[in-house]
Amino acid sequence: MWGNWTIVSEFILVSFSALSSDLRALLFLLFLAIYLLTLMGNVLIILVTTADSALQSPMYFFLRNLSLLEIGFNLVIVPKMLGTLIAQDTTISFLGCAAQMYFFFFFGAAECCLLATMAYDRYVAICDPLRYPVIMGRRACGQLAAASWFSGLPVATVQTTWIFSFPFCGPNRVNHFFCDSPPVIALVCADTSLFELEALTATVLFILFPFLLILGSYVRILSTIFRMPSAEGKHKAFSTCSSHLLVVSLFYSTAILTYFRPRSSTSPESKKLLSLSYTVVTPMLNPIIYSLRNSEVKAALRRVVRRTLGPQKG
């Protein structure tokens, strides 16, 4: 049996191969603009929340971590995708594919857990404000952020190692724009039922379980907000978590539609569109949402602009 197997040393990403050169050039410019906006927006969020003394609360500490995750997530996917569009370099080495999948799992799982941590932070701030400084101290925030980051290690290590220990019999055309597990596992010539059961378990643990924690947190948050006596108090409380709620909705709606819908009801093309939304579009929207919907971030941005332009005017 081993003699009949072809050793696969590289894969071919076929997602954009059927498009015309003009359309590929147009998509390249579009995705390049989104990529640059994503990097600049998230770097700006990190710099502003680090430099401004008014943005040193736990909420902005977790926001900095989210921006770092978004940058990493984008760097794993988008540069190779841009290369396939403009240079038509659709090949990716065996190790390159494994590395891309590993870091995709790592950043994806870490982001799910970090979004749940941010929801817990808002829950404590609104539902138990008197104990908030004690519960969400600097040490606790550091531990929660570290746990969120390191949560990606086991799923990334187990999933990637398991997938790339399978035999690949020769077909090496990955029907996607990056090395996601479903299109790669489709090329395996062995029984993958046990792996698929493990993958489903990991998906439930690292996507659905954090989502349920977020949902439970916001049920309590909304219940507390509706019991507040003043309209001003309700508005202030809701404004502190509306940005996070919008980011969670964008991220989880596409992730759940991608990984929890039955295969028979989802075409490969629709999965690619959904993947584009949470790997390319959502990381760009996050800094826009947090800067436009958050009055403290907007005020900090104005202070940074004044400090930067002030000496030039003088």
Side-chain angles (χ1 to χ4, degrees):
M1 290 179 63
W2 282 94
N4 294 329
W5 288 344
T6 303
I7 297 175
V8 173
S9 61
E10 65 181 19
F11 294 96
I12 300 172
L13 303 172
V14 299
S15 181
F16 302 110
S17 58
L19 301 179
S20 66
S21 57
D22 290 340
L23 185 54
R24 283 201 301 269
L26 184 63
L27 288 175
F28 171 80
L29 293 174
L30 174 64
F31 292 144
L32 178 62
I34 292 174
Y35 177 60
L36 295 176
L37 282 172
T38 300
L39 294 182
M40 289 188 294
N42 282 291
V43 168
L44 184 62
I45 289 289
I46 293 169
L47 292 177
V48 169
T49 57
T50 302
D52 196 282
S53 58
L55 302 182
Q56 300 306 309
S57 66
M59 181 173 75
Y60 296 108
F61 169 74
F62 293 127
L63 179 58
R64 284 194 292 276
N65 280 270
L66 179 64
S67 290
L68 281 171
L69 278 174
E70 296 288 24
I71 290 171
F73 203 66
N74 228 235
L75 289 173
V76 168
I77 304 296
V78 180
K80 180 59 182 176
M81 184 179 69
L82 292 175
T84 62
L85 283 168
I86 195 65
Q88 299 185 39
D89 179 18
T90 60
T91 61
I92 184 169
S93 69
F94 188 89
L95 289 178
C97 186
Q100 188 182 56
M101 186 182 294
Y102 181 90
F103 286 106
F104 170 74
F105 283 142
F106 172 77
F107 287 118
E111 182 162 346
C112 289
C113 294
L114 184 63
L115 289 173
T117 300
M118 295 172 77
Y120 174 72
D121 170 69
R122 292 298 83 208
Y123 162 74
V124 177
I126 293 172
C127 300
D128 198 0
L130 295 179
R131 298 177 60 216
Y132 179 69
V134 177
I135 297 173
M136 300 302 293
R138 179 171 295 184
R139 182 178 179 182
C141 289
Q143 290 173 340
L144 287 169
S148 298
W149 278 88
F150 284 108
S151 66
L153 288 175
V155 64
T157 303
V158 171
Q159 296 262 78
T160 308
T161 304
W162 199 340
I163 287 175
F164 286 90
S165 66
F166 281 122
F168 292 88
C169 299
N172 64 342
R173 297 173 66 83
V174 179
N175 191 15
H176 213 321
F177 59 87
F178 72 101
C179 287
D180 198 2
S181 58
V184 173
I185 206 71
L187 304 177
V188 169
C189 53
D191 182 16
T192 60
S193 55
L194 185 59
F195 168 80
E196 290 177 14
L197 179 61
E198 184 276 335
L200 178 61
T201 304
T203 303
V204 170
L205 283 175
F206 288 95
I207 295 182
L208 195 57
F209 184 64
F211 176 72
L212 292 176
L213 290 177
I214 294 169
L215 196 61
S217 297
Y218 274 104
V219 167
R220 294 291 302 275
I221 288 170
L222 292 175
S223 175
T224 302
I225 290 175
F226 288 140
R227 290 200 305 268
M228 290 179 177
S230 68
E232 182 182 353
K234 291 179 181 178
H235 175 74
K236 185 177 180 180
F238 186 74
S239 65
T240 63
C241 57
S242 59
S243 298
H244 177 257
L245 189 57
L246 187 54
V247 167
V248 166
S249 301
L250 286 170
F251 180 82
Y252 272 101
S253 59
T254 52
I256 289 174
L257 283 173
T258 302
Y259 293 104
F260 282 95
R261 289 174 68 185
R263 291 182 182 179
S264 57
S265 66
T266 310
S267 68
E269 300 306 316
S270 64
K271 278 198 170 186
K272 291 174 196 174
L273 289 175
L274 288 169
S275 298
L276 275 173
S277 102
Y278 70 80
T279 57
V280 179
V281 179
T282 301
M284 177 195 68
L285 293 178
N286 287 354
I288 296 173
I289 291 168
Y290 272 102
S291 59
L292 293 181
R293 296 185 60 86
N294 189 301
S295 58
E296 291 181 335
V297 174
K298 286 191 287 187
L301 283 170
R302 286 194 292 268
R303 287 193 292 270
V304 169
V305 171
R306 282 199 298 268
R307 284 199 298 266
T308 304
L309 299 180
Q312 295 178 359
K313 291 180 179 180

